[in-house]
Amino acid sequence: MLKLSKLAAALALVAAGTAAMAGEVEVLHYWTSGGEAKSVAELKKIMEAKGHVWKDFAVAGGGGDNAATVLKSRVVSGNPPAAAQIKGPAIQEWAAEGVLANMDPVAQAEKWDSLLPKVVADVMKYKGNFVAVPVNVHRVNWMWANAAVLKKAGVAGMPKNWDEFFVAADKIKKAGLIPVAHGGQNWQDFTTFESVVLGVGGPKFYSDALVKLDQKALTGETMKKSLETFRKIKGYTDAAAPGRDWNLATAMVMQEKAAFQFMGDWAKGEFIAAGKVPGKDFLCAAAPGTANAFTFNVDSFAMFKLKGAAAQKAQADLSAAIMGTEFQEIFNLNKGSIPVRLNMNMAKFDDCAKLSGKDFVETAKTGGLVPSAAHGMAISPAAEGAIKDAVSQFWNDDKISVDEAQKRIAAAAKTK
């Protein structure tokens, strides 16, 4: 009897241990479009295979502003999710509030410091400790095009600078098609604007103006020229652009209604999800004048402090899964980005991704690798929001002069 009771006790301990291993993991994200939703489903599968319960907390809105609002209310009420999609300087702001978990035990076990470029690892840390997990690297300064539309309009290849671009845009307009598919939302306006600034002024000017927020750069002639170029692009968009979601603008390029779109490589995920072939159905190139530069946007999940061993174990498993080779490959193939993890096998990736990977490495050596201001990687959320609004107001209101817009952007850059 004694032996049986010992066995029963041992079995009870095993059962308790197994129950403690499995936990619920609630993930707040804003990946709701085709290629993105497919990627999230893969992460859910990996977690469920480990015995955890996945609780999806998706908040629509491509720029993530809606998700940020929802997250604040959850954290303030003392009920944070296990992980939330947060990136760039916003990670540091959340960490400073004392609500993020120290993920160093997982990071050390999984050797994250040796698997990540230092510039990326530093963004994921607060006071030397990992508090967030990177998912991928997006290149923001892409220009996408429909090969059939370019052929129909007599445009030979992708324009390499802004002068070539406007010549091509005129041909496309003449052919009765929309030159630029654009979604009129403030983050999309800012995405186009930063590529224009990079193409007109180069990486050093871009860094001075939109990363360091240097007043001399913001009020100078190069910024004036950037704003003039930006306004000129507006003339090649369609009247229905205001309020359009980015993936609907991508669909216009897919459906041969429009020629070009300025958007990060998450747009490629939409093409791929629709069965389109890069190099044949659609073309990719760096935005005009930016071939030797790379504006990066690293998606990441910040990990919040949780109570309970089961919840913490599920969170640790989620962190390890995000950085694992299986998810890094599947996710980035679906999303259109490239793995953030170094030394990944890129054999399954298309030519656009291979070019992105090559340029990422090369620009890191030349100084052309710069954080995206429009996508939360470069400046404080307050300054980013103020500049984004000023840029969008200029885009939407033709009565605002270039000089006035320049003054407004320079003033917005001082926002704390």
Side-chain angles (χ1 to χ4, degrees):
M1 286 295 289
L2 188 62
K3 282 183 182 175
L4 283 173
S5 61
K6 277 186 176 176
L7 179 61
L11 286 171
L13 278 170
V14 170
T18 306
M21 294 289 276
E24 182 181 273
V25 62
E26 185 180 19
V27 181
L28 188 154
H29 63 89
Y30 45 90
W31 286 323
T32 52
S33 72
E36 295 173 335
K38 200 174 168 187
S39 301
V40 172
E42 291 297 335
L43 189 55
K44 179 183 177 182
K45 229 183 272 180
I46 293 168
M47 289 302 289
E48 287 177 345
K50 289 176 183 284
H52 299 300
V53 176
W54 174 279
K55 192 175 177 186
D56 201 58
F57 188 1
V59 181
D65 293 341
N66 297 343
T69 305
V70 174
L71 178 62
K72 276 173 192 164
S73 66
R74 284 284 303 268
V75 176
V76 167
S77 66
N79 181 32
Q85 195 180 346
I86 303 172
K87 61 190 179 184
I91 294 170
Q92 317 305 316
E93 292 196 357
W94 278 106
E97 294 294 324
V99 293
L100 298 188
N102 184 337
M103 302 309 294
D104 280 354
V106 185
Q108 285 157 12
E110 300 286 324
K111 300 183 171 64
W112 288 357
D113 272 318
S114 63
L115 292 173
L116 294 170
K118 188 179 183 298
V119 65
V120 174
D122 286 347
V123 178
M124 302 301 130
K125 293 178 180 180
Y126 179 69
K127 294 186 175 176
N129 305 122
F130 274 100
V131 292
V133 189
V135 180
N136 58 357
V137 179
H138 278 297
R139 186 181 199 171
V140 179
N141 60 310
W142 279 117
M143 174 172 64
W144 307 95
N146 185 295
V149 170
L150 297 194
K151 192 176 178 184
K152 188 178 177 181
V155 175
M158 296 287 262
K160 290 182 175 61
N161 55 51
W162 288 111
D163 289 339
E164 285 182 15
F165 173 80
F166 290 121
V167 169
D170 283 331
K171 287 182 179 177
I172 293 153
K173 205 171 187 179
K174 203 174 175 183
L177 294 156
I178 299 162
V180 180
H182 184 73
Q185 295 169 335
N186 61 6
W187 70 270
Q188 294 188 65
D189 300 337
F190 199 5
T191 297
T192 300
F193 179 69
E194 74 171 16
S195 282
V196 171
V197 171
L198 187 64
V200 170
K204 189 190 179 300
F205 174 76
Y206 171 93
S207 190
D208 287 345
L210 295 181
V211 181
K212 295 174 185 169
L213 303 179
D214 177 68
Q215 285 293 313
K216 194 177 173 186
L218 290 166
T219 56
E221 282 301 308
T222 307
M223 182 54 79
K224 185 179 180 181
K225 192 181 176 189
S226 298
L227 283 161
E228 287 166 353
T229 305
F230 182 58
R231 171 151 280 170
K232 194 172 178 183
I233 294 167
K234 168 81 184 295
Y236 294 98
T237 61
D238 66 310
R244 179 187 289 141
D245 285 333
W246 70 269
N247 51 314
L248 298 181
T250 306
M252 289 169 65
V253 178
M254 264 192 249
Q255 294 158 5
E256 297 183 20
K257 293 176 183 173
F260 300 109
Q261 182 186 18
F262 298 106
M263 188 52 62
D265 50 20
W266 47 93
K268 190 186 68 177
E270 297 298 297
F271 286 109
I272 302 294
K276 303 296 180 185
V277 180
K280 182 187 165 195
D281 301 314
F282 69 96
L283 306 173
C284 62
T290 73
N292 297 321
F294 189 119
T295 38
F296 68 86
N297 174 19
V298 174
D299 282 314
S300 54
F301 282 103
M303 299 293 162
F304 283 80
K305 284 179 180 174
L306 301 174
K307 291 167 187 164
Q312 289 168 2
K313 175 70 170 77
Q315 185 182 55
D317 284 351
L318 174 68
S319 302
I322 289 169
M323 273 289 288
T325 53
E326 181 190 358
F327 180 67
Q328 284 281 317
E329 182 176 86
I330 292 168
F331 179 89
N332 288 291
L333 284 170
N334 282 337
K335 189 118 175 6
S337 46
I338 57 172
V340 69
R341 184 182 170 123
L342 295 173
N343 305 320
M344 280 282 294
N345 184 343
M346 297 288 283
K348 290 185 185 175
F349 287 81
D350 60 72
D351 289 346
C352 295
K354 284 172 182 167
L355 174 62
S356 188
K358 177 177 149 290
D359 287 351
F360 183 64
V361 173
E362 286 181 6
T363 56
K365 294 172 187 169
T366 61
L369 183 64
V370 288
S372 167
H375 291 272
M377 297 306 299
I379 51 182
S380 74
E384 180 192 329
I387 295 170
K388 183 164 59 181
D389 288 345
V391 166
S392 201
Q393 284 160 9
F394 173 65
W395 176 269
N396 287 301
D397 187 353
D398 292 340
K399 290 174 188 168
I400 298 173
S401 68
V402 167
D403 287 345
E404 175 60 26
Q406 195 166 2
K407 282 176 194 163
R408 289 186 185 187
I409 291 167
K414 294 176 180 176
T415 306
K416 297 295 182 197

